[in-house]
Amino acid sequence: MSSPLPNLSDAPRPVLVGFSGGLDSTVLLHWLAQSAAQRDAGVRAVHVHHGLQPAADAWAQHCQAICTAWNIDLQVIGVDVARDSGHGLEAAARHARRDAFTSALRPGEQLALAHHRDDQAETFLLRALRGSGVDGLAAIRSEAPFATGTVWRPLLQVPRAALLAYAQSQALHWVDDPSNASDEADRNFLRLHVLPLLQQRWPQADAAFARSAALCAQAQQLLDVSDQDALRRCSLAPGVLDGTRLLRLPRERRARLLRQWVRNCGLPPLPAAGVDAIERDLLPAAHDADAQFAWQGARIRRWRSELHLLSATLALPPHWSVHWDGRAPLALPDGGQLELLGAKQLATPLQVSARRGGERIQLPGRAHSHALKDLLQQRGLPPWQRRQLPLLFDGAVLMAAGDRVIAAPLQHWLDEHHAQLRWTPGAA
């Protein structure tokens, strides 16, 4: 009897198998362990101990017994699932698993997960019910970037019935999670009630949904190539877009590009409300406006004709102050840094502190002082970076504002010593 599972790659890579002890992951681990080539490449397993069920300890022991019998290294990772995250217990457990997998994955390994065709159909339906576009309807990928490597789902085209048949033919033993019998979770409701009803009328409904997900994935790949090209044309610097160029694109393209921009920077997905706010409030804002949209610790701000993507709102503490002689880079409270380049140290230590407002500075070649606020506006420093700007004082005299504005006496000394200041603002 031929196996219902696909053939392994001719050149397998080391794998870390997410092993819950349930039917799906037991089949995946057994299938991989039967391959001599995969054994040579490397097979390990990781079990995430959520502690959400009374039998959680017994499940971990079961997984250890299986791996011992099959001569496979198993790592058991205990996690604390946040019950008050606001995203629901299922989502919190999923995030905890992801973090555990990330910590366990070694360089060069790929994470192997046991998602199958029924999971793909359920995910497609869930995304459709939430009104997802082509990106969401692409559902689960057979291979995708994960942490520093990739996640691999070799069973994605295999129906769960085939996994059950394989397990029975191999006399495998697995554990059953009693929560799977509850229809409180949306995915379980689809699995227990909706898909069986659909399959009464359309027996291949799960295969059809999985096929639609695959077609959406193909369409998304084509769109992604075009998005990345448009993103390069609109980018001025990492995390900065040219609003004028962005407005030349169709609105639908802008929405995709904005989501891709945020995704590339590793920040939480930009919600639909964020796309609407950018279209309504940020892109048409006046040249001197400081319009912004914030979500989940991330922020997009309009400054002049640019959009800036920030992971936090940063500022130096208002009463922070230290002495600095320039011998070593000065670490700033916001994660930034101040350095003296080209000289061993300053002529005299300077006091470094945060802006408090009302400062004035005398520029080279000028007989009178200027308001620092006006100079920073003229030089185009965004408002949020002005709150991060370290000021250097010699007594009560302002000698420099980072490396953006430097007073005549300090500039003269820097020129004499072929030196310069370099300020790197914090970015996270």
Side-chain angles (χ1 to χ4, degrees), residues 175-198:
V175 297
D176 288 312
D177 186 342
S179 68
N180 289 334
S182 169
D183 62 7
E184 289 187 10
D186 292 342
R187 183 178 290 276
N188 284 3
F189 185 85
L190 289 176
R191 179 183 303 136
L192 297 171
H193 303 297
V194 177
L195 274 170
L197 182 61
L198 289 171

Side-chain angles (χ1 to χ4, degrees), residues 233-234 242-251 253-254 283:
R233 293 197 303 271
C234 291
D242 185 324
T244 303
R245 296 178 191 171
L246 198 59
L247 280 169
R248 295 184 188 135
L249 301 174
R251 179 178 178 132
R253 171 66 69 184
R254 286 200 297 270
L283 287 174

Side-chain angles (χ1 to χ4, degrees), residues 16 44-49 75-80 94-109 111 146-150:
L16 174 68
R44 296 193 306 125
V46 58
H47 175 79
V48 181
H49 189 319
Q75 181 178 0
V76 177
I77 300 179
V79 297
D80 292 322
R94 186 167 57 250
H95 289 309
R97 280 196 302 276
R98 183 180 180 87
D99 290 343
F101 291 152
T102 299
S103 69
L105 197 63
R106 295 173 181 170
E109 277 184 331
L111 176 66
F146 180 85
T148 58
T150 58

Side-chain angles (χ1 to χ4, degrees), residues 62-351:
H62 167 85
C63 290
Q64 185 61 71
I66 292 290
C67 288
T68 299
W70 295 350
N71 194 27
I72 294 172
D73 288 339
L74 174 70
Q75 181 178 0
V76 177
I77 300 179
V79 297
D80 292 322
V81 179
R83 297 174 181 269
D84 57 353
S85 65
H87 301 293
L89 191 61
E90 185 180 9
R94 186 167 57 250
H95 289 309
R97 280 196 302 276
R98 183 180 180 87
D99 290 343
F101 291 152
T102 299
S103 69
L105 197 63
R106 295 173 181 170
E109 277 184 331
Q110 59 181 350
L111 176 66
L113 299 180
H115 294 98
H116 47 73
R117 193 173 75 185
D118 298 49
D119 294 323
Q120 182 75 298
E122 292 163 11
T123 302
F124 180 86
L125 273 176
L126 280 173
R127 302 279 178 84
L129 289 168
R130 292 169 184 166
S132 297
V134 66
D135 292 359
L137 294 178
I140 307 172
R141 309 299 180 82
S142 60
E143 191 165 341
F146 180 85
T148 58
T150 58
V151 59
W152 177 45
R153 300 179 177 94
L155 306 181
L156 198 57
Q157 300 301 319
V158 181
R160 188 178 187 276
L163 300 186
L164 178 59
Y166 177 93
Q168 292 172 339
S169 71
Q170 300 293 323
L172 302 182
H173 300 281
W174 62 90
V175 297
D176 288 312
D177 186 342
S179 68
N180 289 334
S182 169
D183 62 7
E184 289 187 10
D186 292 342
R187 183 178 290 276
N188 284 3
F189 185 85
L190 289 176
R191 179 183 303 136
L192 297 171
H193 303 297
V194 177
L195 274 170
L197 182 61
L198 289 171
Q199 287 168 329
Q200 288 180 24
R201 180 70 179 232
W202 298 280
Q204 296 300 314
D206 61 331
F209 291 138
R211 175 61 177 160
S212 291
L215 292 172
C216 287
Q218 292 174 14
Q220 187 200 25
Q221 289 172 3
L222 293 174
L223 288 169
D224 281 349
V225 172
S226 181
D227 291 341
Q228 293 290 5
D229 182 59
L231 191 55
R232 282 192 294 271
R233 293 197 303 271
C234 291
S235 294
L236 296 173
V240 184
L241 291 184
D242 185 324
T244 303
R245 296 178 191 171
L246 198 59
L247 280 169
R248 295 184 188 135
L249 301 174
R251 179 178 178 132
E252 294 78 10
R253 171 66 69 184
R254 286 200 297 270
R256 290 190 56 83
L257 189 148
L258 289 166
R259 292 192 179 98
Q260 185 69 52
W261 179 46
V262 171
R263 188 160 54 243
N264 287 354
C265 292
L267 294 175
L270 180 64
V275 175
D276 292 341
I278 292 168
E279 291 286 345
R280 182 184 64 247
D281 302 326
L282 274 66
L283 287 174
H287 182 73
D288 58 351
D290 183 19
Q292 59 183 288
F293 175 79
W295 79 102
Q296 296 184 43
R299 187 179 303 267
I300 294 176
R301 302 186 71 154
R302 160 84 184 235
W303 171 241
R304 300 190 172 175
S305 62
E306 301 169 355
L307 295 184
H308 292 255
L309 181 57
L310 310 167
S311 59
T313 298
L314 302 171
L316 298 181
H319 300 294
W320 171 79
S321 182
V322 297
H323 279 90
W324 182 55
D325 61 10
R327 292 184 182 182
L330 176 65
L332 303 174
D334 67 344
Q337 184 173 263
L338 186 63
E339 299 174 89
L340 174 65
L341 305 177
K344 292 183 177 180
Q345 65 183 82
L346 295 166
T348 182
L350 299 177
Q351 190 80 19

Side-chain angles (χ1 to χ4, degrees), residues 361-382:
I361 189 168
Q362 184 180 353
L363 299 178
R366 305 290 178 87
H368 60 281
S369 64
H370 298 264
L372 179 61
K373 176 182 176 181
D374 295 340
L375 294 174
L376 294 177
Q377 288 179 344
Q378 292 170 15
R379 300 185 184 193
L381 192 69

